[in-house]
């Protein structure tokens, strides 16, 4: 009899806490990332870490916890598809690699990285793809610490060390010091080593494989056969491959080898863009916004004709971005922010959205790129970058007119929720 009573009490308390657990968000405007539209007067129901309902005709129980964002525009949490959380280079330092590789050490590096990770979250990025420059799988360690709640940060999808050819991205390193870069990069010398490198990365927890098709600023590069072997092996384990590739030849070789994404792609011919579109290869343009260019010039005390220099760079970015869109290439958002702009790194990273806007992308096109399309690329199309039933409760809100005053509004952040927990309110 006592046992029966106890079990009834336990069941009823579970039932009560389930209903009272739900949180409702009233959104004045809502960005529908899948359809690139702004909806109005939308209600989102959240239970634990998931969205369990969304729509205009949802009734909110009188005693339910309600977050009133009816004055604001609500968006899925942003995704930065190209970060290096474990790296911050001082713009006036001639040898940032030496500092990082010889003096910083893994422990200090991860602690610093965790602070940077938090700044991404506080600036509305609830997910990042961290693409190397992170020592011997320190990105996997930080990801674990965030997932278990030890530190606050965005969801991380990580590559581990970049798989790369001789020398890594450190040109001219004295031969007797070459071992120094073997923790920072996975250097391969043959097709067999390429295959094993992927197995090593999968074993240590990489979510994605990052390669350097060309090693700029170093002059060495992977061969097409090495890249093909990497792609084949990565796809066998369900991992995508993305390639740092700056010039047209490197992009063409990587795309021919079967990669899924191209990072940077500063110079790409129309022929290569057409091939990318045909093969469904995404482009992550890591461009710099005009305000960040000015900040950079100030920090390094750049004396040459600033306006001319800036215009040349922006014209090149814009020409490439618009030709890529015209060719039908999917654009994903990636800040590649690893330079110290003397502001929180997550704030500097958000300038990537401004850069695309300066170059002619429309606000909703940019938002779709940094939510829905980026989530699709990671195979998370129904869980991230979207506000709908079943998705993770990664939700942000901004104050202002996102369609007509994009560059200001995107920085007017009033709310950040990740995995059902509120970080900015
Ligand atoms: Zn990068």
């Amino acid at each position: 009899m006592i046992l029966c009573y106890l079990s009834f009490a336990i069941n009823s308390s579970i039932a009560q806490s389930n209903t009272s657990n739900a949180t409702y968000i009233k959104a004045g405007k809502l960005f529908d990332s899948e359809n690139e539209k702004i909806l109005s007067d939308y209600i989102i129901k959240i239970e634990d870490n998931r969205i369990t309902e969304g729509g205009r005709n949802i009734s909110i129980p009188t005693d339910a916890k309600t977050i009133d964002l009816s004055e604001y525009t609500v968006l899925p949490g942003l995704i930065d598809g190209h970060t290096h959380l474990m790296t911050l280079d001082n713009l006036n330092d001639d040898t940032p690699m030496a500092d990082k590789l010889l003096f910083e050490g893994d422990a200090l590096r991860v602690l610093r990285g965790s602070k940077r990770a938090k700044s991404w979250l506080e600036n509305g990025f609830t997910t990042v793809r961290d693409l190397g420059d992170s020592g011997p799988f320190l990105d996997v360690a930080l990801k674990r610490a965030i997932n278990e709640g030890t530190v606050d940060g965005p969801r991380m999808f990580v590559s581990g060390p970049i798989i790369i050819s001789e020398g890594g991205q450190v040109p001219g390193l004295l031969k007797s010091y070459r071992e120094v870069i073997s923790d920072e990069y996975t250097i391969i010398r043959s097709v067999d080593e390429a295959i094993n490198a992927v197995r090593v990365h999968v074993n240590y927890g990489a979510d994605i494989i990052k390669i350097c098709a060309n090693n700029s600023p170093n002059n060495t590069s992977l061969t097409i056969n090495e890249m093909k072997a990497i792609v084949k092996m990565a796809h066998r384990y369900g991992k995508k491959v993305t390639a740092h590739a700056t010039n047209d030849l490197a992009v063409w070789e990587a795309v021919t080898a079967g990669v899924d994404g191209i990072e940077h792609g500063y110079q790409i011919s129309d022929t290569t863009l057409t091939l990318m579109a045909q093969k469904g290869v995404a482009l992550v343009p890591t461009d710099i916004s005009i305000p960040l260019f000015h900040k950079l010039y100030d920090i390094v005390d750049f004396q040459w004709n600033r306006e001319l220099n800036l215009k040349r760079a922006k014209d090149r970015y814009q020409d490439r971005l618009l030709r890529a869109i015209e060719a039908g290439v999917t654009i994903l958002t990636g800040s590649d922010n690893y330079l110290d702009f003397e502001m929180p790194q997550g704030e500097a990273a958000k300038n990537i959205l401004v850069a695309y806007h300066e170059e002619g992308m429309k606000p909703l096109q940019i938002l779709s790129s940094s939510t829905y399309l980026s989530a699709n690329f990671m195979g998370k199309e129904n869980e991230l970058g979207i506000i709908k039933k079943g998705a993770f409760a990664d939700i942000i809100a901004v104050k202002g007119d996102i369609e007509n005053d994009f560059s200001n509004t995107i920085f007017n952040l009033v709310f950040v929720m990740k995995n059902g927990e509120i970080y900015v309110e």
Side-chain angles (χ1 to χ4, degrees):
M1 186 63 197
I2 292 169
L3 282 176
C4 276
Y5 171 76
L6 277 177
S7 100
F8 170 77
I10 290 164
N11 283 337
S12 68
S13 84
I14 289 168
Q16 270 176 8
S17 71
N18 273 348
T19 46
S20 62
N21 250 347
T23 300
Y24 292 80
I25 292 179
K26 284 183 184 172
K29 288 182 175 177
L30 180 123
F31 174 57
D32 172 357
S33 59
E34 191 171 7
N35 299 302
E36 247 175 64
K37 278 195 313 203
I38 296 284
L39 310 175
S40 57
D41 300 321
Y42 200 89
I43 310 267
I44 306 160
K45 182 180 179 186
I46 296 153
E47 288 172 277
D48 299 321
N49 63 341
R50 297 266 185 180
I51 295 165
T52 50
E53 266 187 86
R56 299 183 69 164
N57 300 315
I58 293 170
S59 60
I60 303 177
T62 46
D63 61 341
K65 187 184 174 203
T66 306
I67 298 165
D68 187 1
L69 300 174
S70 52
E71 298 293 308
Y72 309 116
T73 302
V74 172
L75 321 162
L78 302 173
I79 299 170
D80 187 344
H82 188 134
T83 63
H84 301 286
L85 297 184
M86 237 64 72
T87 286
L88 184 65
D89 289 352
N90 183 323
L91 279 159
N92 285 313
D93 187 347
D94 290 338
T95 55
M97 272 288 183
D99 283 347
K100 187 166 66 184
L101 302 183
L102 299 175
F103 295 103
E104 192 175 38
D106 294 352
L108 183 57
R109 196 167 175 185
V110 180
L111 287 167
R112 287 171 169 170
S114 76
K115 184 182 176 191
R116 291 181 207 123
K118 196 171 175 218
S119 87
W120 255 268
L121 181 61
E122 288 169 346
N123 278 279
F125 291 104
T126 51
T127 299
V128 302
R129 272 198 307 146
D130 203 63
L131 300 181
D133 293 326
S134 48
F137 296 97
L138 303 182
D139 48 358
V140 175
L142 181 57
K143 173 186 162 172
R144 280 182 63 184
I146 290 171
N147 287 351
E148 71 194 17
T150 300
V151 295
D152 292 342
R155 296 175 193 280
M156 289 180 72
F157 290 80
V158 304
S159 68
I162 299 169
I163 300 178
I164 201 164
S165 64
E166 188 61 34
Q169 288 172 295
V170 191
L173 184 71
L174 294 178
K175 206 163 170 232
S176 48
Y177 297 131
R178 61 187 293 168
E179 285 310 310
V180 171
I181 52 170
S182 61
D183 275 345
E184 191 69 6
Y185 297 98
T186 300
I187 292 174
I188 58 148
R189 298 173 179 86
S190 65
V191 166
D192 283 347
E193 285 191 8
I195 289 169
N196 200 50
V198 175
R199 285 192 284 245
V200 169
H201 281 235
V202 169
N203 180 45
Y204 283 108
D207 302 299
I208 185 164
I209 300 298
K210 163 89 179 285
I211 63 173
C212 274
N214 63 326
N215 286 12
S216 54
N218 204 337
N219 270 333
T220 66
S221 54
L222 296 172
T223 66
I224 291 188
N225 281 342
E226 286 164 341
M227 288 191 274
K228 273 186 181 165
I230 289 168
V231 169
K232 196 173 170 192
M233 206 63 184
H235 286 177
R236 172 171 160 165
Y237 295 116
K239 309 292 180 195
K240 291 206 166 162
V241 179
T242 196
H244 163 110
T246 55
N247 60 48
D248 189 49
L249 176 64
V251 176
W252 186 85
E253 288 188 341
V255 172
T256 301
V259 301
D260 306 287
I262 292 291
E263 310 293 321
H264 317 298
Y266 297 120
Q267 300 114 31
I268 316 184
S269 66
D270 287 335
T271 314
T272 306
L273 286 169
T274 304
L275 185 65
M276 285 177 72
Q278 279 168 1
K279 298 184 82 166
V281 180
L283 175 65
V284 183
T286 53
D287 301 349
I288 301 175
S289 72
I290 292 170
L292 273 197
F293 259 117
H294 283 296
K295 188 81 188 158
L296 188 153
Y297 292 153
D298 287 344
I299 292 171
V300 302
D301 195 19
F302 187 78
Q303 297 291 345
W304 195 60
N305 189 335
R306 290 187 180 195
E307 290 305 324
L308 181 65
N309 189 65
L310 196 156
K311 187 177 180 313
R312 279 182 183 166
K314 287 303 283 187
D315 285 351
R316 280 197 298 268
Y317 287 158
Q318 180 179 45
D319 170 65
R320 173 277 266 113
L321 181 67
L322 297 183
R323 283 189 297 111
I325 292 170
E326 176 72 26
V329 174
T330 299
I331 305 296
L332 307 180
T333 303
S335 70
D336 192 24
N337 183 264
Y338 62 92
L339 296 172
D340 188 356
F341 287 102
E342 298 174 348
M343 63 177 86
Q345 257 192 292
E347 184 186 333
K350 203 143 76 176
N351 270 272
I352 190 63
L353 308 180
V354 176
Y356 298 154
H357 191 233
E358 290 163 351
E359 292 158 24
M361 278 177 82
K362 300 272 181 289
L364 301 192
Q365 212 178 3
I366 297 167
L367 293 175
S368 176
S369 163
S370 48
T371 55
Y372 184 72
L373 294 174
S374 290
N376 276 13
F377 184 80
M378 297 185 293
K380 301 286 174 191
E381 55 269 30
N382 293 313
E383 294 194 301
L384 300 176
I386 196 162
I387 293 177
K388 75 172 193 187
K389 187 176 175 178
F392 285 111
D394 290 5
I395 296 167
I396 66 169
V398 292
K399 181 182 179 184
D401 185 344
I402 196 79
E403 286 183 279
N404 298 304
D405 186 19
F406 181 75
S407 299
N408 288 315
T409 305
I410 200 66
F411 284 98
N412 268 336
L413 194 66
V414 295
F415 180 79
V416 176
M417 173 183 273
K418 188 199 100 185
N419 212 34
E421 277 188 46
I422 297 169
Y423 293 89
V424 174
E425 193 175 19

